[in-house]
Every structure is written in structure tokens, then in C-alpha cells.
Amino acid sequence: YRAQEADAMEKCRRKAAELNLPMKVVRAEYSYNGSKLLFLFTAEQRVDFRELVRYLVRVFRTRVEMRQIGARDEAKILDGYGRCGRQLCCASWLTEFHPVSIRMAKNQQLPLAPTEISGVCGRLLCCLAYENDTYTEARKSLPRTGSRVIHAEYGNGIIKGLNILGRQAIVKFEGGKRIELPVDDLAPEGQTPPTPKKPVVEEALPEFQIPSKPLKVTTAKRAAAKAPAATKEAQKSAEKTKRKKRRRRRRKPRNKGQKSN
């Protein structure tokens, strides 16, 4: 009977396509003695498959049952590999599907793009629930984003971001300076801040200034700047001779027979 399951699934798919039923047959399963044939399918909405069941009963001469499953169950049956490179959790070791919400992704500061937090099934990744409790417990001891704090060295500031696992906070101080500081070195505004355990090392970024007018440097000037002193003198004499020739050309009369004064 197990060898006949592939043929039964193919016939069911072909007949469902002929009847224009919006369903996808995933698997066909015979009972151990062939007394029942179970078809698993996925669909976006409820499907009227009564005519399909009558056809299958006439063909296979056994009791036919149709069962609609979800996208996660389909991924568990078909199996595959996730974005982590490992076999799907639902197909390898996961026995129950736990509820996963978008709030878990926000709590772990993950990108909310559907392609980044969705699995093969098209639903939210099951692994979002694995570390959610750890992030929730770590957040309890951290200040909230947007709260006002004070630092012993830099003064008052506003928290703009959190590194939850590293217990670091990105604080924006007066003047627009943003520094990542340990949470233990901060205190709520109005309280006495603790003394920093380690000195804060600020990395000075190089400032790039764009000139107001682009400098036009010709190739001749660049070559003259790199040339030695003797070569520069020779070039100066050559330029003088060129200037003299230009002046002579200007002094020549327009008519060939007329002499210049």
C-alpha cells in the first residue's frame, strides 16, 4: 500500500485540477490494511471536495478522507533546509508548533522585513521563540529607549538604542554626539551617576571637507611641480621664446606688400 501512495496522490492532483479546485495535495497515506486512504492538502479557504471524493472512492474502492492542513504542517511533511543551513526544526525535532508573533522580532531588535523573519512555510520563524525569554529578562534591567539619563563625564543625554546582550546603550548628548556606553555607567536624570569603571575611548573620525571650487591643475603644471630645478629653468626659457613668437605674429601687417611702421 505504501508503494501505491505516489500513484494515488498523482491521480488526486490531476482530478482536482480538472475540477478547478483551489487546493494543493501534499501527501496520500494508506492505512496499514488499505481500509482507508487519507489525502492531506493545503488551501487558502474552505474547498467543496465532495465530487472529488466520489471520484476517488470509485477509483480506489476504499474509504477516502480529505484533511486540510496549514503551511507549517506542509513544510514539516515536505522537509527542507532553513536560512541557517540546517534541517527544518519542524521536520527534525520539533513536535509542537508554538505561537510566534511579530512582537518577538521587535523584542530581539530584528529587521521586520518579511523575507528576513519568515521561514520556508511563509510564516514567522519558529526560532524567534527560542531566545525570546532571554531577551525579555535582559530588557527588565535596561532603561527604555527615549528615556533621559545622566553620565558622570558627558552629562545629560537621551537613549537612542540598546545592545541588549552586551548591556550597552547608544546615548545622544547635547551637541549631537552619540556614544555607546555601558548601562551600569548611566543613571536616570536627576540622580547621581556612578563613576565609570573603564575610561571611554572615543574614536575620532576623520573629517572630509569638500572644497568650494574645484582646483584646475593642468598636466604641464603637475609635471613642472615634479621636475627638478634645471628642468624648470629650461621650461621657463621655452615659455619666453613662445611669448616672443606670439608678439611677432601680432605685429605683422595684414597685407603682404605693406610695411609695418
Side-chain angles (χ1 to χ4, degrees), residues 4-258:
Q4 298 175 13
E5 289 178 352
D7 181 54
M9 184 175 63
E10 184 63 29
K11 289 181 179 179
C12 182
R13 285 179 175 176
R14 194 180 306 134
K15 187 62 178 178
E18 292 178 1
L19 297 174
N20 294 324
L21 297 178
M23 57 186 296
K24 177 184 177 183
V25 182
V26 178
R27 175 174 287 186
E29 295 180 358
Y30 267 105
S31 60
Y32 71 98
N33 57 358
S35 60
K36 184 179 72 171
L37 180 57
L38 173 65
F39 289 96
L40 304 176
F41 70 95
T42 59
E44 296 294 334
Q45 54 190 2
R46 296 191 64 177
V47 182
D48 185 8
F49 46 75
R50 288 176 293 181
E51 187 175 352
L52 176 63
V53 172
R54 295 192 202 99
Y55 168 79
L56 297 175
V57 170
R58 290 196 304 268
V59 172
F60 299 106
R61 301 291 180 179
T62 185
R63 187 162 66 93
V64 176
E65 181 180 345
M66 305 291 293
R67 184 181 301 172
Q68 185 174 355
I69 60 176
R72 290 186 173 181
D73 296 304
E74 180 187 3
K76 182 176 182 178
I77 293 172
L78 299 179
D79 202 354
Y81 290 87
R83 59 175 61 253
C84 58
R86 298 171 63 94
Q87 188 182 8
L88 296 180
C89 298
C90 57
S92 56
W93 62 272
L94 200 63
T95 56
E96 297 179 1
F97 292 109
H98 300 285
V100 184
S101 63
I102 196 70
R103 187 181 184 85
M104 296 180 179
K106 292 180 179 179
N107 189 29
Q108 301 174 39
Q109 297 181 345
L110 296 175
L112 301 182
T115 55
E116 297 292 333
I117 58 177
S118 300
V120 178
C121 57
R123 303 295 188 268
L124 292 174
L125 291 165
C126 294
C127 55
L128 292 178
Y130 299 164
E131 299 179 356
N132 185 58
D133 295 339
T134 304
Y135 277 86
T136 303
E137 289 296 326
R139 269 185 175 273
K140 291 180 180 179
S141 60
L142 299 178
R144 293 184 178 182
T145 304
S147 59
R148 295 183 172 275
V149 294
I150 184 172
H151 189 263
E153 183 179 352
Y154 298 101
N156 297 330
I158 303 174
I159 294 180
K160 292 296 183 180
L162 292 173
N163 182 0
I164 300 174
L165 299 182
R167 292 187 60 80
Q168 300 277 336
I170 301 174
V171 187
K172 181 181 179 181
F173 294 97
E174 296 178 358
K177 183 185 293 184
R178 291 173 180 255
I179 305 176
E180 188 172 0
L181 300 169
V183 177
D184 299 332
D185 296 344
L186 302 174
E189 192 177 22
Q191 298 182 10
T192 304
T195 305
K197 298 179 181 179
K198 295 181 180 180
V200 181
V201 180
E202 296 184 31
E203 297 182 359
L205 300 177
E207 296 183 358
F208 179 74
Q209 297 180 354
I210 302 175
S212 57
K213 293 184 179 180
L215 301 177
K216 296 182 180 180
V217 182
T218 59
T219 55
K221 290 184 179 180
R222 288 176 181 173
K226 295 180 181 180
T231 311
K232 290 181 180 180
E233 292 179 358
Q235 290 179 354
K236 288 181 180 179
S237 61
E239 289 179 359
K240 287 181 181 180
T241 54
K242 288 181 180 179
R243 291 173 185 172
K244 290 180 181 179
K245 290 181 180 180
R246 290 174 185 171
R247 291 173 184 174
R248 290 174 185 174
R249 291 174 184 172
R250 291 174 183 173
R251 292 175 182 176
K252 287 183 179 180
R254 295 182 181 180
N255 297 329
K256 294 183 179 179
Q258 185 180 359

